[in-house]
Amino acid sequence: MGELSRIWRESDHRYRLVAHECGNCKRIFFPPRDVCPICHRDSIGKMREVELSGKGTISSFTVVHDSPRAFKRQRPYVLALIDLDEGPTITAQIVDTPLDQIEIGKRVHSVFRRIHEDGPGGIIQYGYKFAVDLS
Amino acid sequence: MSGIVSYGSYIPKYRIKPEEIARIWGENPEHIKKGLYILSKSVPAPDEDTATIAVEAARNAVKRGRINVKDIGAIFVGSESHPYAVKPTATIVASALGVDFSLFSADYEFACKAGTAAIQNAKAMVDAGYIKLGMAIGSDTSQGAPGDALEYSASAGGTAIIIGKDNVIAEINHTLSVTSDTPDFWRREGQPYPTHGERFTGEPAYFKHVMSAAKLLMERANSEPGDYRYAVFHQPNGKFPSRAAKKLGFTEEQFKTGLLTPYIGNTYSGSMMTGLSAVLDEASPGDRILAVSFGSGAGSDAFDITVTEHIDDMERESASTIKQFLNNVEYVDYSIYAKFKKKIVFGGNLE
């Protein structure tokens, strides 16, 4: 059940890219953090929820050939570091984009996809992935 | 009067052609292309399902209409391929949009017309003053058994329609439904693929309901086919809607814009609604639209719609248009299709 409660607890940030903004230094953190790692105690009670736009730029990526079993239907697939327009850098899968069109510097947008299912009778986890913008 | 305040669609990127399916099952693709008038159909990626399609369509509707999601008071999702047998798709959509906790929501099921039934109920709740905005979604990743005729048409896609009273881009002047107990198509609980009642599919099911609903609606609206700029019908294949339209007295000019099945296949609950979405992408103020869905089992929902001047204030290109979905495609062969659609099954709990 630990997995189930984690999926439920994380749904806002996985579904809608809900981040936390420090009310003190205005830095944005994703995944959300209860305390700003820069301002420490000065940020307590000042962390505010903000929804990110889901727009960003690929800063690095790797092609996964030796995948976990759950991703066998999708391999080879791409995991990228994405610099979001609001500041945070996140790791996410790139979908719907041929490998030869994935480059550092390409603009991407978030999409809503299945991430994992806990067997045929288990909970389905949904969340963000990214796709390269149509030029 | 209440009506459509925004709309948005989503069609997966992947496509398969009838040639590829016919190659595997030893059939003549020309018969399929001519007989069903299907040139390709959409295929969901392995990580797409009815919920992900519903969310993408809903987000496009919110974006296009610049909707404050806190104004949405109801979300109804129609589908025959909800990811869970018990646990609603509507809750996933609500959470992904960030809609308020105070919300009417439910999943609907009526074969291919569950999404349009959702439009009627959202409109009723708006008209009754229960809610400011109501969202109706038709979304499916439909199933066709390997080698069955349905495999050529059963595809994936969805459309979300937001109903309200302010800044209405298309007024819903009239709506009505017809219903009968007809054994044309069904899927029993736990069965992976549907069964069709062969000879029941055409005349006693599709044509009887679609044409009756269209005629009754025109009677109520005191209108005739010539009064409409566009006509959209449920489209299980390319042939049925064209034939129904012509029998009713509509011309190809009126129904071609909303006829998408030849390119994307039958998106089931998304079918008529996505055709309507294609029409709204290009309609002008004053244009009148007749839209009729069909759900096996069986019934039809009919709508008489008039586009208003507010459509010119809407940045329709701010969300993906149907033309964009039709242009951004990647074709797959049958083996990739079988892998994506989970027709190749792994042993054990591998995923």
Side-chain angles (χ1 to χ4, degrees):
Chain A
M1 291 306 269
E3 178 74 355
L4 192 61
S5 54
R6 184 183 61 77
I7 289 170
W8 175 74
R9 201 172 55 244
E10 292 178 352
S11 66
D12 273 357
H13 87 251
R14 288 197 182 272
Y15 282 20
R16 292 191 285 125
L17 292 169
V18 171
H20 273 173
E21 184 187 53
C22 172
N24 202 46
C25 69
K26 306 296 178 197
R27 284 185 180 86
I28 292 175
F29 299 97
F30 186 88
R33 301 185 69 139
D34 292 334
V35 177
C36 173
I38 313 296
C39 303
H40 304 291
R41 70 163 60 176
D42 288 340
S43 72
I44 292 171
K46 295 180 187 166
M47 300 302 282
R48 186 177 71 88
E49 280 192 356
V50 288
E51 207 168 311
L52 305 177
S53 64
K55 293 174 182 163
T57 306
I58 296 175
S59 62
S60 187
F61 69 93
T62 184
V63 182
V64 180
H65 293 275
D66 190 8
S67 69
R69 289 186 301 185
F71 287 81
K72 208 169 169 181
R73 289 184 201 275
Q74 298 172 56
R75 76 181 183 197
Y77 62 89
V78 171
L79 278 182
L81 286 175
I82 296 159
D83 293 335
L84 296 173
D85 289 355
E86 292 87 353
T89 297
I90 65 171
T91 307
Q93 189 181 338
I94 306 287
V95 295
D96 281 4
T97 313
L99 291 181
D100 61 4
Q101 288 177 27
I102 298 176
E103 291 168 14
I104 291 170
K106 282 257 175 142
R107 294 286 295 165
V108 292
H109 60 274
S110 66
V111 295
F112 188 79
R113 294 293 171 107
R114 266 179 190 240
I115 306 295
H116 176 68
E117 61 181 78
D118 192 14
I123 197 80
I124 303 166
Q125 185 183 2
Y126 294 94
Y128 58 82
K129 294 187 179 181
F130 283 76
V132 171
D133 290 357
L134 292 174
S135 46
Chain B
M1 188 187 292
S2 67
I4 298 167
V5 298
S6 189
Y7 66 98
S9 296
Y10 180 79
I11 303 165
K13 180 183 181 184
Y14 300 99
R15 300 282 186 280
I16 188 166
K17 291 182 175 176
E19 285 87 343
E20 223 0 73
I21 299 171
R23 182 175 70 84
I24 302 303
W25 300 113
E27 293 186 292
N28 184 343
E30 293 310 312
H31 289 172
I32 307 298
K33 284 157 75 177
K34 285 187 188 139
L36 297 176
Y37 187 33
I38 289 175
L39 310 174
S40 63
K41 71 162 189 171
S42 64
V43 178
D47 56 356
E48 290 186 300
D49 63 19
T50 292
T52 66
I53 290 169
V55 167
E56 292 290 350
R59 284 181 173 166
N60 279 333
V62 166
K63 194 166 153 194
R64 180 175 277 135
R66 295 181 179 174
I67 302 293
N68 178 357
V69 293
K70 301 296 179 196
D71 288 337
I72 297 173
I75 296 178
F76 302 123
V77 184
S79 179
E80 59 175 70
S81 54
H82 290 291
Y84 292 96
V86 180
K87 190 188 179 311
T89 307
T91 59
I92 299 167
V93 175
S95 180
L97 293 180
V99 175
D100 206 71
F101 184 52
S102 170
L103 178 77
F104 292 100
S105 73
D107 281 4
Y108 287 176
E109 193 279 320
F110 193 144
C112 300
K113 82 166 191 76
T116 55
I119 298 177
Q120 291 173 324
N121 287 0
K123 175 175 163 52
M125 294 189 89
V126 168
D127 287 344
Y130 285 0
I131 54 174
K132 186 174 180 189
L133 297 176
M135 178 180 272
I137 302 173
S139 170
D140 257 308
T141 53
S142 51
Q143 308 295 328
D148 188 271
L150 284 175
E151 198 178 22
Y152 291 98
S153 59
S155 68
T159 290
I161 301 269
I162 302 177
I163 304 290
K165 278 186 178 167
D166 299 328
N167 297 317
V168 168
I169 60 156
E171 287 185 353
I172 299 177
N173 311 313
H174 303 276
T175 180
L176 57 78
S177 298
V178 295
T179 304
S180 78
D181 187 13
T182 308
D184 60 317
F185 175 94
W186 61 88
R187 181 166 64 81
R188 296 277 303 275
E189 183 70 42
Q191 292 298 308
Y193 300 115
T195 304
H196 40 98
E198 303 290 348
R199 69 185 191 85
F200 278 98
T201 303
E203 289 302 332
Y206 182 86
F207 291 101
K208 176 184 165 185
H209 294 84
V210 165
M211 296 189 56
S212 304
K215 283 177 187 165
L216 277 172
L217 186 77
M218 287 191 277
E219 242 175 72
R220 183 177 295 181
N222 198 19
S223 60
E224 51 188 53
D227 295 334
Y228 298 92
R229 173 84 190 276
Y230 299 100
V232 191
F233 300 93
H234 173 57
Q235 34 205 281
N237 51 55
K239 276 283 168 76
F240 277 21
S242 314
R243 203 191 306 163
K246 284 176 185 164
K247 275 176 148 178
L248 285 163
F250 291 95
T251 63
E252 192 173 346
E253 194 58 30
Q254 288 166 296
F255 67 75
K256 69 177 184 190
T257 306
L259 184 59
L260 304 175
T261 291
Y263 315 104
I264 64 170
N266 180 6
T267 56
Y268 282 52
S269 298
S271 175
M272 181 279 254
M273 291 171 70
T274 308
L276 179 61
S277 181
V279 165
L280 291 173
D281 276 348
E282 65 169 54
S284 306
D287 286 346
R288 202 159 164 192
I289 305 163
L290 179 103
V292 186
S293 66
F294 169 74
S296 289
S300 275
D301 303 327
F303 300 84
D304 178 296
I305 297 165
T306 305
V307 178
T308 75
E309 69 280 6
H310 288 298
I311 202 157
D312 285 341
D313 304 331
M314 174 179 259
E315 281 181 46
R316 282 180 269 183
E317 304 257 326
S318 60
S320 295
T321 62
I322 296 299
K323 277 202 175 124
Q324 286 172 317
F325 286 119
L326 296 183
N327 290 334
N328 178 33
V329 301
E330 186 176 333
Y331 291 97
V332 295
D333 62 17
Y334 194 89
S335 49
I336 296 290
Y337 162 75
K339 183 178 76 167
F340 279 13
K341 287 287 289 173
K342 299 178 182 158
K343 290 177 192 242
I344 299 171
V345 180
F346 300 143
N349 290 350
L350 288 186
E351 51 183 347

